[in-house]
Amino acid sequence: MQQNLAYYSAVLGEDKAESISARQVVKQHIQQSILEKELLYFGYEAFGITFVDPDTWTPEDVMPKKLREKQKADRETAARITEEIGNLMKEIETLVEEKKKDSSDVVKLMSPQEEGPVLYDDISVSMTSKQLNGSERVLLDGVISDDACRELQRLSNAAALKGDGYRGRPSPHSPGETFQGVTVLKAVKLGQEGKVPLKSARLFFDLSEKVKKVLESYFRLDTPLYFSYSHLVCRSAIDEKQEDRTDLSHPVHVDNCLLVSELNECIKEPPAYTHRDYSAILYLNDDFEGGDFIFTKLDAKTVTAEVRPRCGRVVGFGAGKENPHGVRAVTKGQRCAVALWFTLDPAHQEKERIQAEDMLKMFSTPVNEEFSKTETKDASEAQTATGEPPTPSEQEPAEKKSSDKPAATKPADSAKAAAASKTAETKAKAVPSVKAKAGQQAKTKTADKVKSKPATKTGKTQSKQEGRRDTKAAAKKTVKAAIKKKDVSKAADDSQTGRDEL
């Protein structure tokens, strides 16, 4: 009602509004309301019954004077407290601003310590975080050689699959380009099958390890990095789709959160890879048009730094919202690189890479040396235990000579026969002594040969001992046979000599 009165007063003017009186029903309602409030305030003052007047039009004299003064004091106190709170909030804001300023100063002072050693003499730091207009950024050159770049590019063209990592979509980021990639495990498996050189897969593995070590050292990390994902990728321009092209090869994004460029925010929750902490890209070539790497602000439009790819160049950076990045369109040729993501949490390390490492270790492990030594020792012991029989080569000349001479001669007459008989008897008497001498020589020779053999262990089996006895017996028989043949040949010679004398 009061609002209506104010409205008419404003529209009609104060003079005309004064002549307009309220209806009788309204007057009665106001009078009744004032009487009820007087009773309620009396109860509030006398009995402590709480009452809060909801109306702003109630006349001040309705409320008792003491209560009116008390409420006035309360309002003044509340106003004073509100003013003090406001002043305190201003002081807090001032302190926060000063703290931020101090923190930024500390960061500026601490930032040079980020530049740790790069571990290799042939690697140089081309641009630091300050030169790249950000934090936790670095540009390195000379990380790998030209030959290594060419080898990895050949590996990508031989082993990579179109749309790898993007459910087989050949153009996952831009309709003007095709995308292909291969992981470390896939490359190693293809090397095992002989479809690509195994040394190329090993090079892929080793060079990515080198990049990891360099980043750990340069950013002075207290905890080690673990691979989250390793991908050898190439982007190729589709010639017929380059006209009037305005999109990016890879849209601006952040590696561990969902970038909302309209709000300048990055939401760290799935499906983003929230466990990723650092990223690196190892470039393999520069013989293409476009394809520059860019850093931007959170609006995904304001470019803060730009990097031109070339062989052996690495751009490394933190994977958080401080480093939104993307890739300009590749308008001609093929752009190849090794994309690497790292985590500080070992629970999220790349399982396929662990499997690939085990396979490479298996391929590079030589034949078990202990097994080889055992086989050699067993063969040597078997040869010693067998004991080769003495070769009859020494007896062969005597046997051959005796076989060339006639074994017997027919007597011409009885006189010659008698003479031959007497000579034979004389020689026969000498045979026992010759046999004894020859036997002694054979025994001595056999004993010398046995001594020349290496001593065998006392724990030889019964079968090996029997083999040695059989060998000795065979040697003795051979010697006896040779002596017998020699005696027969000698007797024949003596018989021929006796005949000549007669």
Side-chain angles (χ1 to χ4, degrees):
M1 288 182 290
Q2 293 290 339
Q3 291 175 353
N4 290 340
L5 179 60
Y7 171 76
Y8 289 122
S9 298
V11 173
L12 300 175
E14 293 290 339
D15 298 336
K16 293 182 179 180
E18 287 181 356
S19 62
I20 299 174
S21 61
R23 290 178 297 174
Q24 188 66 29
V25 177
V26 174
K27 290 181 179 180
Q28 291 177 355
H29 172 74
I30 292 175
Q31 186 64 32
Q32 182 181 353
S33 178
I34 290 174
L35 292 173
E36 290 175 351
K37 290 177 181 178
E38 288 178 351
L39 292 173
L40 291 171
Y41 278 124
F42 175 78
Y44 185 4
E45 187 178 13
F47 306 107
I49 299 174
T50 304
F51 170 68
V52 177
D53 190 356
D55 301 324
T56 58
W57 53 265
T58 304
E60 290 185 359
D61 55 356
V62 173
M63 183 183 298
K65 185 178 180 180
K66 291 182 179 180
L67 186 58
R68 206 163 47 239
E69 292 175 352
K70 181 177 181 298
Q71 287 189 351
K72 183 179 179 180
D74 291 343
R75 284 194 297 269
E76 291 176 353
T77 302
R80 186 175 63 256
I81 293 173
T82 302
E83 184 180 1
E84 291 178 355
I85 291 174
N87 294 334
L88 182 61
M89 292 298 296
K90 289 181 180 179
E91 291 179 3
I92 292 174
E93 290 178 357
T94 304
L95 291 174
V96 170
E97 291 296 328
E98 292 178 355
K99 186 69 175 178
K100 287 182 178 179
K101 185 178 179 180
D102 293 340
S103 299
S104 62
D105 293 339
V106 170
V107 170
K108 290 179 180 179
L109 292 173
M110 295 292 290
S111 58
Q113 294 187 4
E114 173 186 286
E115 302 171 14
V118 293
L119 302 180
Y120 299 90
D121 295 335
D122 51 351
I123 297 178
S124 61
V125 178
S126 300
M127 299 181 76
T128 62
S129 295
K130 184 177 181 180
Q131 293 168 321
L132 291 169
N133 302 316
S135 61
E136 288 194 305
R137 299 176 182 178
V138 65
L139 184 66
L140 306 169
D141 280 310
V143 178
I144 65 174
S145 64
D146 293 343
D147 292 339
C149 288
R150 286 189 290 269
E151 184 73 19
L152 290 180
Q153 193 170 3
R154 285 194 294 267
L155 174 63
S156 175
N157 291 323
L161 299 175
K162 287 188 176 181
D164 185 64
Y166 294 93
R167 299 181 179 179
R169 290 181 293 159
S171 301
H173 304 302
S174 170
E177 301 175 16
T178 58
F179 178 90
Q180 65 187 36
V182 61
T183 62
V184 171
L185 180 60
K186 181 65 175 178
V188 172
K189 285 184 176 180
L190 291 175
Q192 180 187 18
E193 296 169 2
K195 296 181 179 178
V196 299
L198 186 59
K199 67 174 184 178
S200 300
R202 185 181 297 279
L203 183 67
F204 180 11
F205 182 91
D206 292 342
L207 292 180
S208 54
E209 288 285 343
K210 181 179 181 180
V211 173
K212 179 177 76 74
K213 292 178 181 178
V214 171
L215 289 187
E216 285 176 341
S217 176
Y218 181 81
F219 288 121
R220 296 184 181 275
L221 301 180
D222 296 330
T223 57
L225 289 175
Y226 300 91
F227 283 94
S228 172
Y229 194 56
S230 312
H231 212 195
L232 172 58
V233 300
C234 289
R235 307 167 187 270
S236 302
I238 302 175
D239 295 336
E240 58 271 17
K241 294 185 179 181
Q242 300 306 313
E243 188 175 356
D244 300 329
R245 184 179 172 188
T246 58
D247 63 344
L248 296 176
S249 175
H250 199 135
V252 174
H253 62 283
V254 178
D255 287 339
N256 69 1
C257 58
L258 300 174
L259 179 62
V260 184
S261 58
E262 295 80 6
L263 303 176
N264 286 346
E265 292 183 358
C266 200
I267 303 172
K268 196 169 184 179
E269 62 182 28
Y273 300 100
T274 57
H275 55 274
R276 292 178 177 175
D277 297 297
Y278 287 88
S279 305
I281 303 171
L282 169 62
Y283 298 108
L284 304 179
N285 66 319
D286 60 357
D287 54 342
F288 54 88
E289 294 180 4
D292 288 356
F293 178 89
I294 57 174
F295 284 113
T296 72
K297 292 185 177 181
L298 285 173
D299 61 5
K301 297 177 181 179
T302 306
V303 176
T304 58
E306 191 164 350
V307 175
R308 177 62 188 172
R310 72 182 186 191
C311 172
R313 172 168 283 182
V314 169
V315 56
F317 50 92
K321 66 179 183 180
E322 68 277 3
N323 289 318
H325 57 279
V327 180
R328 295 194 186 278
V330 179
T331 57
K332 186 177 181 180
Q334 184 185 60
R335 175 190 188 271
C336 294
V338 178
L340 303 169
W341 293 271
F342 306 99
T343 178
L344 296 171
D345 186 358
H348 292 284
Q349 63 180 318
E350 187 180 8
K351 302 301 186 293
E352 284 194 1
R353 189 177 184 88
I354 297 174
Q355 186 177 350
E357 183 178 9
D358 293 339
M359 292 179 67
L360 290 173
K361 287 181 180 179
M362 180 182 66
F363 297 151
S364 61
T365 302
V367 179
N368 191 295
E369 295 182 358
E370 294 183 1
F371 181 75
S372 300
K373 291 179 180 179
T374 304
E375 280 192 338
T376 306
K377 184 178 180 181
D378 291 344
S380 176
E381 290 180 353
Q383 183 177 359
T384 304
T386 302
E388 294 180 0
T391 57
S393 58
E394 296 179 359
Q395 286 83 14
E396 285 180 359
E399 291 175 3
K400 187 173 182 180
K401 289 178 181 179
S402 61
S403 61
D404 292 339
K405 294 181 180 180
T409 305
K410 294 181 180 180
D413 48 36
S414 57
K416 290 180 180 180
S421 177
K422 186 180 290 185
T423 305
E425 289 178 0
T426 305
K427 298 298 181 181
K429 291 180 181 179
V431 165
S433 61
V434 173
K435 287 183 178 180
K437 186 176 181 180
Q440 185 65 28
Q441 292 176 351
K443 288 181 180 179
T444 304
K445 187 175 183 181
T446 303
D448 293 338
K449 288 186 177 181
V450 172
K451 289 181 180 179
S452 64
K453 296 292 181 177
T456 58
K457 298 179 180 179
T458 57
K460 297 297 180 179
T461 60
Q462 186 65 26
S463 59
K464 294 180 180 179
Q465 292 176 354
E466 291 176 0
R468 290 201 300 271
R469 288 198 297 268
D470 294 339
T471 303
K472 290 180 180 180
K476 289 181 179 180
K477 289 181 180 180
T478 304
V479 173
K480 288 180 180 180
I483 294 171
K484 187 175 181 180
K485 288 182 180 180
K486 185 175 182 180
D487 293 340
V488 172
S489 176
K490 183 68 175 177
D493 291 342
D494 292 341
S495 176
Q496 182 67 28
T497 304
R499 189 181 67 176
D500 293 340
E501 290 176 356
L502 293 174

